[in-house]
Structures are given as structure tokens and as C-alpha cells.
Amino acid sequence: MHSYARVPDCVHFWRFVVKAHSSDGDSMTDLRGKRILLGVSGGIAAYKSADLVRRLGDVGAEVRVVMTAGAQEFVRPLTFQAVSGNPVHTSLLDPEAEAAMGHIELARWADGVLIAPASANVIARLANGLADDLLTTLCLATEAPVAIAPAMNRVMWSHPATLANVTRLAERNVTVLGPGDGDQACGEIGSGRMLEPLDLVDGLAGLFPAPALTGLHVLLTAGPTREAIDPVRYISNRSSGRMGFAVAAAAARSGARVTLVTGPVELVTPPGVERVDVESAAQMHQAVMERLVDCSIFIACAAVADYRVATPADAKIKKRNAGMALELVRNPDILADVASVEQPPFTVGFAAETHDLQANAEDKRRRKGVDMIAANWVGRPIGGFEAADNALEVSWEGGRVALESKPKTRLAVELLELIGARYRASRTPDYGAKA
Ligand code: PMT
């Protein structure tokens, strides 16, 4: 006997989305120029996918269809070839098809992947990272966003194994569209129907959010600084640059013009980002201040050395004495200086703390006069410097949000959404008064 788990909220989110098509059956979604790879897996709902191809075409998408072996038991590839106007892809090991458009090329071609219907079997294979046919291989090989439209018998849908698989995919950012409720092909009534083609077209639009920062110039700092002691030694810190580079990449993807002033790191420049390499805090300060004209948002993610050696030696210091003392002087505070220019951009600071995270971050935000601060723990086994994951406590005057631990790449996207929203609020006339 089965035990039935509660359907996790994330799995059913689509039900609460307002439909974006008009009552006369036309979608108001615009997918002009978008290249959609439609995966059709084995299920009776596969017959609806031919209509889905037509609906996607109506809103301007170019569609290529990949069918699993199971899908071909329900609908013939010729049907999809006729409605999509493109050859249908069915096999990973077909030299002729590979010669025309290989599976890696196909994975790169797609702006978005939709699997409709997504059977319990294909969901399980995706959740486990299998690549045992063309469709699952493409899903592993693509960097495009993936959506699934589950379709199966209600008992199969509510089985804990299926729900665990769907939850796993949702956690990996796969968008789950549906399923819907109602009469099922097997004669039962319940949850597990594939959403109607128009609902899927509208749901797919969620994969391509309008760039939120188009037209803005975002200036960032990232990485550590190095403060010379002599020509071969320096004072620095553990910053890898990962957090700042992730934020820069997310800003570029959001449509902003992005300038990234970075200390020495071993990271590849994200696409669409202008990179300025510096070493010391003084150089970083100069590079930032020179680029403030037309800057809308400044994000200080760099771990800038607060002090530098007063007089770095010209030659390598010899170890003649048992000990030595270095005289340190304060470096300029880049963030505070940006926040105090006559017409400052929207300023976002980071706070790296080993104790009293929130109190110290708030103190920094007020002292430096910045609009928003993102605080993270450092010096702990998880998060902060060097790690792939991080968590942030983001606060501004009158507001606070905790962003849970996740890969810095995903955290950066969430942080930028907050920054974008607060930036837009800051452009309203009563911003200062409300704050
Ligand atoms: O690079 P990773 O390995 O991915 O690690 C990420 C990170 C931990 C470095 C990052 O998330 C972070 O916390 N960056 C800020 C580190 C820091 O120096 O924090 P702070 O609390 O000392 O400084 C407060 C703010 O003032 C920061 O925005 C900092 O960039 C800025 N600052 C500090 C000193 C200075 N002279 N000029 C500045 O602009």
C-alpha cells in the first residue's frame, strides 16, 4: 500500500499564477525570437503537444521537438514535423541526425526547454541526472532554463517518489508547470492532468523575465586588495572574488552595463562585464572614483584592506632581526567616499562579520551612509570567504530580508532583485522622507 505525501507548495505554484491569455483563447504572451526545445515524453497527453507547438508558434517562438521512445508510441514524429516545420529529433545515436544538428548543438540552440508531457519516468530520470536517451542528455547539456509539465495518473503523481523527484528538480531551478486537476484518461478524477497548451505557453514566459536593470550602469568592486610590504610580500585576505563576480554576472544578465573593479583573483570575467584589474586599495579607490559618472548602482563586495604599510620597502626586506614592526596607515574607505559624493548612486555595501552580524552591519550602514547592506558571516566553516555557498542578511532603512544559504551564483540573483526593487524605490520623490 502507498502512503501519500502532501504535495509540496513549490510543486503547485503554477496554480496561483493568473492566466495571461484572453477569454477568446489567444495568448497575450510574447515569445518572439525565443527558441524553444519541446521534449515530448510518453503519455496520452502527448497528443495535446502538437497543439502546443502551434500555440508556441502563434506567439513567435521557434520550436524544435525531441521525442522519447515512449512518446512515439502515442504520436508519430511526422505530426510534430508538420506542425513545427522542423525535423523531429528522436535518437541520441542517429549519425544522420547528429550530422544535421548534433545533440550538443541542439542543447546550445535552445533559449528554453519545455518537457510536455513530462511522465513520471522522465521526471525520475531527470531528478537522478540520467542521460540515457536524447531528451535527458539534452537536459544535462543545456544551460537554458528548463520547465516540465507533469502528466500522469493521480496516484502516480501523489506517490512520494514522484513528489520527491519533482521537489528535487524544483530545487534545481526547474520550473514546474502544473499539473492540473480533473478527469483523467484512465477514468479517474484528480490531480495529474497536463496543463492546457495556452496555460503552458503563458507559464513558459516566466522562464524569460524582462531584464530588470536595462539602461543602468552598475559599478562593483570584488576580490581582495594587496598592500605591498616590499616588492615580494604583501598584506591581503581570503577573498576569492566569487561573490562579487556572481553579482556582476547577475547584473549583466539583468540588462545592466556592468563595470567590475577587481583585486587579484583567478576568475574568468563574466560575459558582458567590463573588468578593471587593480591590486591595492588605493588603486581600487581611484578606479572606482574615476567611473562614478553615470553610475546608477554601486555595489562594494571587495574585501578592501583597511590599512596599508606606511612606507613599503623598495627592496626585499632581509631577515636580520628577530622581529620587525610594520607601521600601518588607514586606506581610503571606497564605499563611504562613493556614498558621500554630491549625487551618489544607489550604494550597496557588504559587511563581513565574525560576531554580532546584524548589529555590526547596521552600524556600518549608518556610519558609511549607504542605502543597503548585505551582511555575511566570515571565519566559519560554511559561507563567507572562498566558499561556493553563502547566506546574506540584507537590510536597509526600515527593511530587512534574510537570504538563505545557497550557491553564490543563485544568491547573487536574489540579492540583485532586492537591489533593483530598492533602487526603484529610491527614485521616488519621498524616498528620503520615508526612509
Ligand atoms: O570573495 P569571496 O571569497 O566570494 O567572499 C565574499 C566576501 C566574504 C568577501 C563578501 O561577501 C564580503 O563580505 N565582502 C565585504 C568584505 C569586507 O571587507 O567587509 P567589511 O565589513 O570589512 O567592509 C564593509 C564594506 O566597506 C564592504 O562593502 C567593503 O567593500 C567596503 N570597504 C571597506 C574598507 C575600505 N577601505 N573600503 C571599502 O569600500
Side-chain angles (χ1 to χ4, degrees), residues 221-224 237-244 281 298 300-306 331-336 348-353 364 368 373-374 376-378 384-387 390 392 408:
T221 63
N237 59 63
R238 293 181 178 279
S239 173
S240 63
R242 289 172 95 157
M243 190 71 240
F298 174 66
C301 195
V304 186
D306 291 313
N331 269 327
D333 191 311
I334 304 168
L335 179 58
V348 183
F350 271 69
E353 306 296 341
K364 272 179 193 164
K368 300 194 185 209
I373 199 137
N376 49 194
W377 291 106
V378 289
F385 289 120
E386 295 167 309
N390 201 10
L392 292 170
K408 285 176 178 173

Side-chain angles (χ1 to χ4, degrees), residues 10-63:
C10 64
V11 171
H12 269 173
F13 78 93
W14 171 246
R15 291 180 178 181
F16 305 108
V17 177
V18 177
K19 287 182 179 175
H21 53 264
S22 60
S23 50
D24 58 9
D26 287 331
S27 176
M28 291 182 280
T29 297
D30 184 357
L31 292 178
R32 256 174 298 178
K34 291 282 181 258
R35 297 186 294 203
I36 307 298
L37 195 64
L38 176 65
V40 183
S41 68
I44 186 64
Y47 80 92
K48 286 192 198 171
S49 301
D51 185 36
L52 174 59
V53 174
R54 198 173 59 80
R55 299 289 189 172
L56 286 167
D58 288 347
V59 295
E62 188 185 343
V63 185

Side-chain angles (χ1 to χ4, degrees), residues 123 126-127 148 164-176:
I123 289 172
L126 289 175
I148 57 170
N165 288 333
V166 172
T167 304
R168 207 160 160 194
L169 290 175
E171 283 166 0
R172 273 190 231 144
N173 274 349
V174 169
T175 300
V176 184

Side-chain angles (χ1 to χ4, degrees), residues 297-316:
I297 298 173
F298 174 66
I299 307 172
C301 195
V304 186
D306 291 313
Y307 294 89
R308 67 179 182 277
V309 177
T311 326
D314 291 337
K316 185 179 170 195

Side-chain angles (χ1 to χ4, degrees), residues 40-44 46 67-75 119 121 125 133:
V40 183
S41 68
I44 186 64
M67 297 181 78
T68 64
Q72 293 167 64
E73 300 290 330
F74 290 90
V75 187
S119 64
N121 178 46
R125 288 189 290 131
D133 67 0

